[in-house]
Amino acid sequence: MFEFLSPDFEKLKEFGFAETKDIYSYATEILDGQFSLRVDISRTDNEVKTRLTDLSTGEPYTLHLVKEAGGAFVGEVRTGYERALREIAEKCFVRDVFKGDCAHAVIEYVRKTYGDELEYLWKTFPSNAVWRRKDSKKWYGILLTVSKRKLGLPSDELVTVIDLRYDPAALTGLLDGQRYFPGYHMNKKSWYTICLDGSVSVAEICERIDKSYRLA
């Protein structure tokens, strides 16, 4: 449940997390005090670790993590565990699907320039999102997570890409298969794709976002 989220460390402290050497820790009891749940979140890599302890024995409890484990009691423990984590996710984390400095920079540029937030339109594709103009409702930018190989590059590395609009009459002259690619999952006559991996500077991408916005 934390896959596409990043912690807000101020909210963690407000929730009751304590900081020790870049680790934020929180403990609570679940299932009417039968178990103690400890949650540790690393500030360096945002990793979330949990430890559930059976208070009647003082021993770690792990059956709730085993998918094949059944039974009413295990189900109750799993439900209580997930409810506690979901509350932390909802109150202390923010959506952060697209990783990397370049992706964060262009998202912030659009937010400050146009006041637009990414819209996540597809529940089955949580790592795809769009920007659209408030007036025309037309899309002017799309962020996706894809394998570089799908763009024709010799790598299976996952990368965030941005799809932008372009003048169809000039588009073929832009595409080079290295920095600019035919629009991924869009009309290749009027859309193109850029990898947000540093191959194109943030400044240039922002200029191209402006052009795409005007075309929309």
Side-chain angles (χ1 to χ4, degrees), residues 120-179:
Y120 296 84
L121 303 179
W122 306 281
K123 289 185 178 180
T124 53
F125 297 98
S127 59
N128 296 348
V130 307
W131 286 299
R132 53 181 161 184
R133 289 184 60 129
K134 295 181 180 68
D135 50 6
S136 67
K137 305 302 181 184
K138 290 185 177 181
W139 300 356
Y140 62 89
I142 307 167
L143 291 188
L144 311 100
T145 302
V146 302
S147 164
K148 285 188 174 183
R149 196 170 299 278
K150 291 186 177 181
L151 301 177
L153 296 172
S155 171
D156 292 317
E157 176 189 358
L158 292 178
V159 63
T160 298
V161 302
I162 185 170
D163 283 353
L164 296 170
R165 293 176 179 268
Y166 204 70
D167 180 359
L171 183 56
T172 55
L174 176 71
L175 306 179
D176 59 12
Q178 297 296 321
R179 302 169 72 234

CSV table of all heavy atoms in Angstrom, one decimal, residues 120-179:
chain,number,residue,atom,x,y,z
A,120,TYR,N,-4.9,10.9,-12.1
A,120,TYR,CA,-4.7,9.5,-12.3
A,120,TYR,C,-6.1,8.9,-12.7
A,120,TYR,O,-7.0,8.7,-11.9
A,120,TYR,CB,-4.2,8.9,-11.0
A,120,TYR,CG,-2.9,9.4,-10.6
A,120,TYR,CD1,-2.7,10.7,-9.9
A,120,TYR,CD2,-1.7,8.8,-11.0
A,120,TYR,CE1,-1.5,11.2,-9.6
A,120,TYR,CE2,-0.4,9.3,-10.7
A,120,TYR,CZ,-0.4,10.5,-10.0
A,120,TYR,OH,0.9,11.0,-9.7
A,121,LEU,N,-6.2,8.7,-14.0
A,121,LEU,CA,-7.6,8.3,-14.6
A,121,LEU,C,-7.8,6.8,-14.6
A,121,LEU,O,-9.0,6.4,-14.8
A,121,LEU,CB,-7.7,8.9,-16.0
A,121,LEU,CG,-7.5,10.4,-16.1
A,121,LEU,CD1,-7.6,10.8,-17.6
A,121,LEU,CD2,-8.5,11.2,-15.2
A,122,TRP,N,-6.8,6.0,-14.5
A,122,TRP,CA,-7.0,4.6,-14.7
A,122,TRP,C,-6.5,3.8,-13.4
A,122,TRP,O,-5.3,3.7,-13.1
A,122,TRP,CB,-6.1,4.1,-15.9
A,122,TRP,CG,-6.4,4.9,-17.1
A,122,TRP,CD1,-7.5,4.8,-18.0
A,122,TRP,CD2,-5.7,6.0,-17.6
A,122,TRP,NE1,-7.4,5.7,-19.0
A,122,TRP,CE2,-6.3,6.5,-18.8
A,122,TRP,CE3,-4.5,6.6,-17.2
A,122,TRP,CZ2,-5.8,7.5,-19.6
A,122,TRP,CZ3,-4.0,7.7,-18.0
A,122,TRP,CH2,-4.6,8.1,-19.1
A,123,LYS,N,-7.5,3.2,-12.8
A,123,LYS,CA,-7.2,2.4,-11.6
A,123,LYS,C,-6.3,1.2,-11.9
A,123,LYS,O,-5.5,0.8,-11.0
A,123,LYS,CB,-8.5,1.9,-10.9
A,123,LYS,CG,-9.3,3.0,-10.3
A,123,LYS,CD,-10.5,2.4,-9.5
A,123,LYS,CE,-11.3,3.5,-8.8
A,123,LYS,NZ,-12.5,3.0,-8.1
A,124,THR,N,-6.4,0.6,-13.0
A,124,THR,CA,-5.6,-0.5,-13.4
A,124,THR,C,-4.2,-0.1,-13.9
A,124,THR,O,-3.4,-1.0,-14.1
A,124,THR,CB,-6.3,-1.3,-14.5
A,124,THR,OG1,-6.6,-0.5,-15.6
A,124,THR,CG2,-7.6,-2.0,-14.0
A,125,PHE,N,-4.0,1.2,-14.1
A,125,PHE,CA,-2.7,1.7,-14.5
A,125,PHE,C,-2.3,2.9,-13.5
A,125,PHE,O,-2.3,4.0,-13.9
A,125,PHE,CB,-2.7,2.1,-15.9
A,125,PHE,CG,-2.9,1.0,-16.9
A,125,PHE,CD1,-4.2,0.9,-17.4
A,125,PHE,CD2,-1.9,0.2,-17.3
A,125,PHE,CE1,-4.5,-0.2,-18.3
A,125,PHE,CE2,-2.2,-0.9,-18.2
A,125,PHE,CZ,-3.5,-1.0,-18.7
A,126,PRO,N,-2.0,2.6,-12.3
A,126,PRO,CA,-1.7,3.6,-11.3
A,126,PRO,C,-0.5,4.4,-11.6
A,126,PRO,O,-0.3,5.5,-10.9
A,126,PRO,CB,-1.6,2.8,-10.0
A,126,PRO,CG,-1.2,1.5,-10.4
A,126,PRO,CD,-1.8,1.2,-11.7
A,127,SER,N,0.4,4.0,-12.5
A,127,SER,CA,1.6,4.7,-12.8
A,127,SER,C,1.5,5.5,-14.1
A,127,SER,O,2.5,5.9,-14.7
A,127,SER,CB,2.8,3.8,-12.8
A,127,SER,OG,2.7,2.8,-13.8
A,128,ASN,N,0.2,5.8,-14.5
A,128,ASN,CA,0.0,6.6,-15.6
A,128,ASN,C,-0.9,7.8,-15.2
A,128,ASN,O,-1.8,7.6,-14.4
A,128,ASN,CB,-0.8,5.9,-16.8
A,128,ASN,CG,0.1,4.7,-17.3
A,128,ASN,OD1,1.3,4.6,-17.1
A,128,ASN,ND2,-0.6,3.9,-18.1
A,129,ALA,N,-0.6,9.0,-15.7
A,129,ALA,CA,-1.4,10.2,-15.3
A,129,ALA,C,-1.3,11.2,-16.3
A,129,ALA,O,-0.4,11.2,-17.2
A,129,ALA,CB,-0.9,10.7,-13.9
A,130,VAL,N,-2.2,12.2,-16.3
A,130,VAL,CA,-2.3,13.2,-17.4
A,130,VAL,C,-2.4,14.6,-16.7
A,130,VAL,O,-2.9,14.8,-15.6
A,130,VAL,CB,-3.5,13.0,-18.3
A,130,VAL,CG1,-3.5,11.6,-18.9
A,130,VAL,CG2,-4.8,13.3,-17.6
A,131,TRP,N,-2.0,15.6,-17.5
A,131,TRP,CA,-2.3,17.0,-17.3
A,131,TRP,C,-3.3,17.4,-18.4
A,131,TRP,O,-3.1,17.1,-19.5
A,131,TRP,CB,-1.1,17.9,-17.4
A,131,TRP,CG,-0.2,17.8,-16.2
A,131,TRP,CD1,-0.4,18.1,-14.9
A,131,TRP,CD2,1.2,17.4,-16.3
A,131,TRP,NE1,0.8,17.9,-14.2
A,131,TRP,CE2,1.8,17.5,-15.0
A,131,TRP,CE3,2.1,17.1,-17.3
A,131,TRP,CZ2,3.1,17.2,-14.7
A,131,TRP,CZ3,3.4,16.8,-17.1
A,131,TRP,CH2,3.9,16.9,-15.8
A,132,ARG,N,-4.3,18.2,-18.0
A,132,ARG,CA,-5.1,18.8,-19.1
A,132,ARG,C,-5.5,20.2,-18.7
A,132,ARG,O,-5.6,20.6,-17.6
A,132,ARG,CB,-6.4,17.9,-19.3
A,132,ARG,CG,-7.2,17.7,-18.1
A,132,ARG,CD,-8.4,16.8,-18.4
A,132,ARG,NE,-9.0,16.1,-17.3
A,132,ARG,CZ,-10.0,15.3,-17.4
A,132,ARG,NH1,-10.5,15.0,-18.6
A,132,ARG,NH2,-10.5,14.7,-16.3
A,133,ARG,N,-5.7,21.0,-19.8
A,133,ARG,CA,-6.1,22.4,-19.6
A,133,ARG,C,-7.4,22.5,-18.9
A,133,ARG,O,-8.3,21.7,-19.1
A,133,ARG,CB,-6.1,23.1,-21.0
A,133,ARG,CG,-4.8,23.3,-21.6
A,133,ARG,CD,-4.9,24.0,-22.9
A,133,ARG,NE,-5.5,25.4,-22.7
A,133,ARG,CZ,-4.9,26.5,-23.1
A,133,ARG,NH1,-3.8,26.5,-23.8
A,133,ARG,NH2,-5.5,27.7,-22.9
A,134,LYS,N,-7.6,23.6,-18.1
A,134,LYS,CA,-8.8,23.8,-17.4
A,134,LYS,C,-9.9,24.2,-18.4
A,134,LYS,O,-11.1,24.0,-18.2
A,134,LYS,CB,-8.7,24.8,-16.3
A,134,LYS,CG,-7.7,24.4,-15.2
A,134,LYS,CD,-7.6,25.4,-14.1
A,134,LYS,CE,-6.7,25.0,-13.0
A,134,LYS,NZ,-5.3,24.9,-13.4
A,135,ASP,N,-9.5,25.0,-19.4
A,135,ASP,CA,-10.6,25.6,-20.3
A,135,ASP,C,-11.0,24.6,-21.4
A,135,ASP,O,-12.2,24.3,-21.5
A,135,ASP,CB,-10.0,26.8,-21.0
A,135,ASP,CG,-8.6,26.7,-21.6
A,135,ASP,OD1,-8.1,25.5,-21.6
A,135,ASP,OD2,-8.1,27.7,-22.1
A,136,SER,N,-10.1,24.0,-22.1
A,136,SER,CA,-10.5,23.1,-23.2
A,136,SER,C,-10.7,21.6,-22.7
A,136,SER,O,-11.2,20.8,-23.5
A,136,SER,CB,-9.5,23.1,-24.3
A,136,SER,OG,-8.2,22.6,-23.9
A,137,LYS,N,-10.1,21.3,-21.5
A,137,LYS,CA,-10.2,19.9,-21.0
A,137,LYS,C,-9.3,19.0,-21.8
A,137,LYS,O,-9.4,17.8,-21.6
A,137,LYS,CB,-11.6,19.4,-20.9
A,137,LYS,CG,-12.5,20.2,-20.1
A,137,LYS,CD,-12.1,20.5,-18.7
A,137,LYS,CE,-13.0,21.3,-17.9
A,137,LYS,NZ,-12.5,21.6,-16.5
A,138,LYS,N,-8.5,19.5,-22.7
A,138,LYS,CA,-7.7,18.6,-23.5
A,138,LYS,C,-6.3,18.4,-22.8
A,138,LYS,O,-5.8,19.2,-22.2
A,138,LYS,CB,-7.4,19.3,-24.9
A,138,LYS,CG,-8.6,19.3,-25.8
A,138,LYS,CD,-8.3,19.9,-27.2
A,138,LYS,CE,-9.5,19.9,-28.1
A,138,LYS,NZ,-9.1,20.4,-29.5
A,139,TRP,N,-5.8,17.2,-23.0
A,139,TRP,CA,-4.6,16.8,-22.4
A,139,TRP,C,-3.4,17.5,-23.1
A,139,TRP,O,-3.4,17.7,-24.3
A,139,TRP,CB,-4.3,15.3,-22.6
A,139,TRP,CG,-5.4,14.4,-22.0
A,139,TRP,CD1,-6.4,14.8,-21.2
A,139,TRP,CD2,-5.4,13.0,-22.1
A,139,TRP,NE1,-7.2,13.7,-20.8
A,139,TRP,CE2,-6.6,12.6,-21.3
A,139,TRP,CE3,-4.7,12.0,-22.7
A,139,TRP,CZ2,-6.9,11.2,-21.2
A,139,TRP,CZ3,-5.0,10.7,-22.6
A,139,TRP,CH2,-6.1,10.3,-21.9
A,140,TYR,N,-2.5,17.9,-22.3
A,140,TYR,CA,-1.3,18.5,-22.9
A,140,TYR,C,0.0,17.8,-22.4
A,140,TYR,O,1.1,18.1,-22.9
A,140,TYR,CB,-1.2,20.0,-22.7
A,140,TYR,CG,-1.1,20.4,-21.2
A,140,TYR,CD1,0.2,20.5,-20.6
A,140,TYR,CD2,-2.2,20.7,-20.5
A,140,TYR,CE1,0.2,20.9,-19.2
A,140,TYR,CE2,-2.2,21.1,-19.1
A,140,TYR,CZ,-0.9,21.2,-18.5
A,140,TYR,OH,-0.9,21.6,-17.2
A,141,GLY,N,-0.1,16.9,-21.5
A,141,GLY,CA,1.0,16.1,-21.1
A,141,GLY,C,0.6,14.8,-20.4
A,141,GLY,O,-0.5,14.8,-19.7
A,142,ILE,N,1.4,13.8,-20.6
A,142,ILE,CA,1.1,12.5,-20.0
A,142,ILE,C,2.3,11.9,-19.4
A,142,ILE,O,3.4,11.9,-20.1
A,142,ILE,CB,0.5,11.5,-21.0
A,142,ILE,CG1,-0.7,12.1,-21.8
A,142,ILE,CG2,0.1,10.2,-20.4
A,142,ILE,CD1,-1.1,11.4,-23.0
A,143,LEU,N,2.3,11.5,-18.2
A,143,LEU,CA,3.4,10.8,-17.6
A,143,LEU,C,3.1,9.3,-17.4
A,143,LEU,O,2.0,8.9,-17.0
A,143,LEU,CB,3.7,11.4,-16.2
A,143,LEU,CG,4.3,12.8,-16.1
A,143,LEU,CD1,4.7,13.1,-14.7
A,143,LEU,CD2,5.5,13.0,-17.0
A,144,LEU,N,4.1,8.5,-17.8
A,144,LEU,CA,3.9,7.0,-17.8
A,144,LEU,C,5.2,6.4,-17.3
A,144,LEU,O,6.3,7.0,-17.5
A,144,LEU,CB,3.6,6.5,-19.2
A,144,LEU,CG,2.4,7.1,-20.0
A,144,LEU,CD1,3.0,8.0,-21.0
A,144,LEU,CD2,1.6,6.0,-20.6
A,145,THR,N,5.1,5.2,-16.8
A,145,THR,CA,6.3,4.4,-16.5
A,145,THR,C,6.3,3.2,-17.4
A,145,THR,O,5.4,2.4,-17.5
A,145,THR,CB,6.2,3.9,-15.0
A,145,THR,OG1,6.1,5.0,-14.1
A,145,THR,CG2,7.5,3.1,-14.6
A,146,VAL,N,7.4,3.1,-18.2
A,146,VAL,CA,7.5,2.1,-19.2
A,146,VAL,C,8.9,1.5,-19.3
A,146,VAL,O,9.9,2.1,-18.7
A,146,VAL,CB,7.2,2.6,-20.6
A,146,VAL,CG1,5.8,3.2,-20.6
A,146,VAL,CG2,8.2,3.7,-21.1
A,147,SER,N,9.1,0.4,-19.9
A,147,SER,CA,10.4,-0.2,-20.2
A,147,SER,C,11.0,0.6,-21.3
A,147,SER,O,10.4,0.9,-22.3
A,147,SER,CB,10.3,-1.6,-20.5
A,147,SER,OG,11.5,-2.1,-21.1
A,148,LYS,N,12.3,0.9,-21.2
A,148,LYS,CA,13.0,1.6,-22.3
A,148,LYS,C,12.9,0.8,-23.6
A,148,LYS,O,12.9,1.3,-24.7
A,148,LYS,CB,14.5,1.8,-21.9
A,148,LYS,CG,14.7,3.0,-20.9
A,148,LYS,CD,16.2,3.3,-20.8
A,148,LYS,CE,16.4,4.5,-19.9
A,148,LYS,NZ,17.8,4.9,-19.8
A,149,ARG,N,12.8,-0.5,-23.5
A,149,ARG,CA,12.8,-1.4,-24.7
A,149,ARG,C,11.5,-1.1,-25.5
A,149,ARG,O,11.5,-1.2,-26.7
A,149,ARG,CB,12.8,-2.9,-24.3
A,149,ARG,CG,13.1,-3.8,-25.4
A,149,ARG,CD,13.4,-5.2,-24.9
A,149,ARG,NE,14.5,-5.3,-24.0
A,149,ARG,CZ,15.8,-5.3,-24.4
A,149,ARG,NH1,16.1,-5.3,-25.7
A,149,ARG,NH2,16.8,-5.4,-23.5
A,150,LYS,N,10.4,-0.7,-24.8
A,150,LYS,CA,9.2,-0.3,-25.6
A,150,LYS,C,9.4,0.9,-26.4
A,150,LYS,O,8.6,1.2,-27.3
A,150,LYS,CB,8.1,-0.2,-24.6
A,150,LYS,CG,7.6,-1.5,-24.0
A,150,LYS,CD,6.4,-1.3,-23.1
A,150,LYS,CE,6.0,-2.7,-22.6
A,150,LYS,NZ,4.7,-2.6,-21.7
A,151,LEU,N,10.4,1.7,-26.1
A,151,LEU,CA,10.7,2.9,-27.0
A,151,LEU,C,11.8,2.6,-28.0
A,151,LEU,O,12.1,3.4,-28.8
A,151,LEU,CB,11.3,4.0,-26.1
A,151,LEU,CG,10.3,4.4,-24.9
A,151,LEU,CD1,11.0,5.5,-24.1
A,151,LEU,CD2,9.0,5.0,-25.5
A,152,GLY,N,12.2,1.3,-28.1
A,152,GLY,CA,13.2,0.9,-29.1
A,152,GLY,C,14.6,1.0,-28.6
A,152,GLY,O,15.6,0.8,-29.3
A,153,LEU,N,14.8,1.2,-27.2
A,153,LEU,CA,16.1,1.2,-26.7
A,153,LEU,C,16.5,-0.2,-26.1
A,153,LEU,O,15.7,-0.9,-25.7
A,153,LEU,CB,16.2,2.2,-25.5
A,153,LEU,CG,15.9,3.7,-26.0
A,153,LEU,CD1,15.8,4.6,-24.7
A,153,LEU,CD2,17.1,4.2,-26.9
A,154,PRO,N,17.8,-0.5,-26.1
A,154,PRO,CA,18.3,-1.9,-25.7
A,154,PRO,C,18.4,-2.0,-24.2
A,154,PRO,O,19.5,-2.3,-23.7
A,154,PRO,CB,19.6,-2.0,-26.4
A,154,PRO,CG,20.1,-0.6,-26.5
A,154,PRO,CD,18.9,0.3,-26.7
A,155,SER,N,17.3,-1.8,-23.5
A,155,SER,CA,17.3,-2.0,-22.0
A,155,SER,C,15.9,-2.3,-21.5
A,155,SER,O,14.9,-1.8,-22.1
A,155,SER,CB,17.8,-0.7,-21.4
A,155,SER,OG,17.7,-0.7,-20.0
A,156,ASP,N,15.8,-3.1,-20.5
A,156,ASP,CA,14.6,-3.4,-19.8
A,156,ASP,C,14.3,-2.5,-18.6
A,156,ASP,O,13.4,-2.7,-17.8
A,156,ASP,CB,14.5,-4.8,-19.4
A,156,ASP,CG,14.5,-5.8,-20.6
A,156,ASP,OD1,13.7,-5.5,-21.5
A,156,ASP,OD2,15.2,-6.8,-20.6
A,157,GLU,N,15.2,-1.5,-18.4
A,157,GLU,CA,15.1,-0.6,-17.3
A,157,GLU,C,13.7,0.2,-17.4
A,157,GLU,O,13.4,0.7,-18.4
A,157,GLU,CB,16.2,0.4,-17.3
A,157,GLU,CG,16.1,1.5,-16.2
A,157,GLU,CD,17.2,2.6,-16.4
A,157,GLU,OE1,18.0,2.5,-17.3
A,157,GLU,OE2,17.2,3.6,-15.6
A,158,LEU,N,13.0,0.3,-16.3
A,158,LEU,CA,11.8,1.1,-16.2
A,158,LEU,C,12.2,2.6,-16.1
A,158,LEU,O,13.1,2.9,-15.3
A,158,LEU,CB,11.0,0.7,-15.0
A,158,LEU,CG,10.3,-0.7,-15.1
A,158,LEU,CD1,9.5,-1.0,-13.9
A,158,LEU,CD2,9.4,-0.8,-16.4
A,159,VAL,N,11.5,3.4,-16.8
A,159,VAL,CA,11.8,4.8,-16.8
A,159,VAL,C,10.5,5.6,-16.9
A,159,VAL,O,9.5,5.2,-17.5
A,159,VAL,CB,12.7,5.2,-18.0
A,159,VAL,CG1,12.0,4.9,-19.3
A,159,VAL,CG2,13.2,6.6,-17.9
A,160,THR,N,10.5,6.8,-16.3
A,160,THR,CA,9.3,7.7,-16.4
A,160,THR,C,9.5,8.4,-17.7
A,160,THR,O,10.6,9.0,-18.0
A,160,THR,CB,9.2,8.7,-15.3
A,160,THR,OG1,9.1,8.0,-14.0
A,160,THR,CG2,8.1,9.7,-15.5
A,161,VAL,N,8.4,8.5,-18.5
A,161,VAL,CA,8.4,9.2,-19.8
A,161,VAL,C,7.3,10.3,-19.8
A,161,VAL,O,6.3,10.1,-19.0
A,161,VAL,CB,8.3,8.3,-21.0
A,161,VAL,CG1,9.4,7.3,-21.0
A,161,VAL,CG2,6.9,7.6,-21.0
A,162,ILE,N,7.5,11.3,-20.6
A,162,ILE,CA,6.4,12.3,-20.8
A,162,ILE,C,6.0,12.3,-22.3
A,162,ILE,O,6.9,12.3,-23.1
A,162,ILE,CB,6.9,13.7,-20.3
A,162,ILE,CG1,5.8,14.7,-20.4
A,162,ILE,CG2,8.1,14.2,-21.1
A,162,ILE,CD1,6.1,16.0,-19.7
A,163,ASP,N,4.7,12.3,-22.5
A,163,ASP,CA,4.2,12.5,-23.9
A,163,ASP,C,3.7,13.9,-24.0
A,163,ASP,O,3.0,14.4,-23.1
A,163,ASP,CB,3.0,11.5,-24.1
A,163,ASP,CG,3.4,10.1,-24.3
A,163,ASP,OD1,4.6,9.8,-24.5
A,163,ASP,OD2,2.5,9.2,-24.4
A,164,LEU,N,4.1,14.5,-25.1
A,164,LEU,CA,3.7,15.9,-25.4
A,164,LEU,C,3.2,16.1,-26.8
A,164,LEU,O,3.6,15.3,-27.7
A,164,LEU,CB,4.9,16.8,-25.1
A,164,LEU,CG,5.5,16.9,-23.7
A,164,LEU,CD1,6.8,17.6,-23.7
A,164,LEU,CD2,4.5,17.5,-22.8
A,165,ARG,N,2.4,17.1,-27.0
A,165,ARG,CA,1.9,17.4,-28.3
A,165,ARG,C,3.0,18.2,-29.1
A,165,ARG,O,3.8,18.9,-28.6
A,165,ARG,CB,0.7,18.3,-28.2
A,165,ARG,CG,-0.6,17.7,-27.6
A,165,ARG,CD,-1.7,18.7,-27.5
A,165,ARG,NE,-2.9,18.0,-26.9
A,165,ARG,CZ,-3.9,17.5,-27.6
A,165,ARG,NH1,-3.8,17.5,-28.9
A,165,ARG,NH2,-4.9,17.0,-27.0
A,166,TYR,N,2.9,18.1,-30.5
A,166,TYR,CA,3.8,18.8,-31.4
A,166,TYR,C,3.1,19.0,-32.7
A,166,TYR,O,2.1,18.3,-33.0
A,166,TYR,CB,5.0,17.9,-31.6
A,166,TYR,CG,6.2,18.8,-32.0
A,166,TYR,CD1,6.9,19.6,-31.1
A,166,TYR,CD2,6.8,18.7,-33.3
A,166,TYR,CE1,8.0,20.3,-31.4
A,166,TYR,CE2,7.9,19.4,-33.6
A,166,TYR,CZ,8.5,20.2,-32.7
A,166,TYR,OH,9.6,21.0,-33.0
A,167,ASP,N,3.6,20.0,-33.4
A,167,ASP,CA,3.0,20.3,-34.7
A,167,ASP,C,3.2,19.1,-35.7
A,167,ASP,O,4.4,18.8,-35.9
A,167,ASP,CB,3.7,21.6,-35.3
A,167,ASP,CG,3.2,22.0,-36.7
A,167,ASP,OD1,2.3,21.3,-37.2
A,167,ASP,OD2,3.7,23.0,-37.2
A,168,PRO,N,2.2,18.5,-36.2
A,168,PRO,CA,2.4,17.3,-37.0
A,168,PRO,C,3.3,17.5,-38.2
A,168,PRO,O,4.0,16.6,-38.6
A,168,PRO,CB,0.9,17.0,-37.5
A,168,PRO,CG,0.1,17.6,-36.4
A,168,PRO,CD,0.8,18.8,-35.9
A,169,ALA,N,3.2,18.7,-38.8
A,169,ALA,CA,4.1,19.0,-40.0
A,169,ALA,C,5.5,19.0,-39.7
A,169,ALA,O,6.3,18.8,-40.6
A,169,ALA,CB,3.7,20.4,-40.6
A,170,ALA,N,5.9,19.2,-38.4
A,170,ALA,CA,7.3,19.3,-38.1
A,170,ALA,C,7.8,18.1,-37.2
A,170,ALA,O,9.0,18.0,-36.9
A,170,ALA,CB,7.6,20.6,-37.3
A,171,LEU,N,6.9,17.2,-36.9
A,171,LEU,CA,7.2,16.2,-35.9
A,171,LEU,C,8.3,15.2,-36.4
A,171,LEU,O,9.2,14.9,-35.6
A,171,LEU,CB,6.0,15.4,-35.5
A,171,LEU,CG,6.1,14.3,-34.4
A,171,LEU,CD1,6.7,14.9,-33.2
A,171,LEU,CD2,4.8,13.7,-34.1
A,172,THR,N,8.3,14.8,-37.6
A,172,THR,CA,9.2,13.8,-38.1
A,172,THR,C,10.7,14.4,-38.0
A,172,THR,O,11.6,13.6,-37.8
A,172,THR,CB,8.9,13.4,-39.5
A,172,THR,OG1,8.9,14.6,-40.4
A,172,THR,CG2,7.6,12.6,-39.6
A,173,GLY,N,10.8,15.7,-38.1
A,173,GLY,CA,12.1,16.2,-38.0
A,173,GLY,C,12.7,16.3,-36.6
A,173,GLY,O,13.9,16.5,-36.4
A,174,LEU,N,11.8,16.1,-35.6
A,174,LEU,CA,12.2,16.1,-34.2
A,174,LEU,C,12.7,14.8,-33.8
A,174,LEU,O,13.6,14.7,-33.0
A,174,LEU,CB,11.1,16.6,-33.4
A,174,LEU,CG,11.3,16.6,-31.8
A,174,LEU,CD1,12.3,17.7,-31.4
A,174,LEU,CD2,10.0,16.8,-31.1
A,175,LEU,N,12.0,13.7,-34.2
A,175,LEU,CA,12.3,12.4,-33.7
A,175,LEU,C,13.7,11.9,-34.1
A,175,LEU,O,14.0,11.9,-35.3
A,175,LEU,CB,11.2,11.4,-34.2
A,175,LEU,CG,9.8,11.8,-34.0
A,175,LEU,CD1,8.8,10.8,-34.5
A,175,LEU,CD2,9.5,12.0,-32.5
A,176,ASP,N,14.4,11.4,-33.1
A,176,ASP,CA,15.7,10.8,-33.4
A,176,ASP,C,16.0,9.5,-32.8
A,176,ASP,O,17.1,8.9,-33.0
A,176,ASP,CB,16.8,11.8,-32.9
A,176,ASP,CG,16.7,12.1,-31.4
A,176,ASP,OD1,16.0,11.3,-30.7
A,176,ASP,OD2,17.4,13.0,-30.9
A,177,GLY,N,15.0,8.9,-32.0
A,177,GLY,CA,15.2,7.6,-31.5
A,177,GLY,C,16.2,7.5,-30.3
A,177,GLY,O,16.4,6.4,-29.8
A,178,GLN,N,16.7,8.6,-29.9
A,178,GLN,CA,17.6,8.7,-28.8
A,178,GLN,C,17.1,9.6,-27.7
A,178,GLN,O,17.2,9.3,-26.5
A,178,GLN,CB,19.0,9.2,-29.3
A,178,GLN,CG,19.7,8.2,-30.3
A,178,GLN,CD,20.0,6.9,-29.6
A,178,GLN,OE1,20.4,6.8,-28.5
A,178,GLN,NE2,19.8,5.8,-30.4
A,179,ARG,N,16.7,10.8,-28.1
A,179,ARG,CA,16.1,11.8,-27.1
A,179,ARG,C,14.6,12.0,-27.3
A,179,ARG,O,13.9,12.2,-26.3
A,179,ARG,CB,16.9,13.1,-27.2
A,179,ARG,CG,18.4,13.0,-27.1
A,179,ARG,CD,19.1,14.2,-27.5
A,179,ARG,NE,18.9,15.3,-26.5
A,179,ARG,CZ,18.4,16.5,-26.8
A,179,ARG,NH1,18.1,16.8,-28.1
A,179,ARG,NH2,18.3,17.5,-25.9
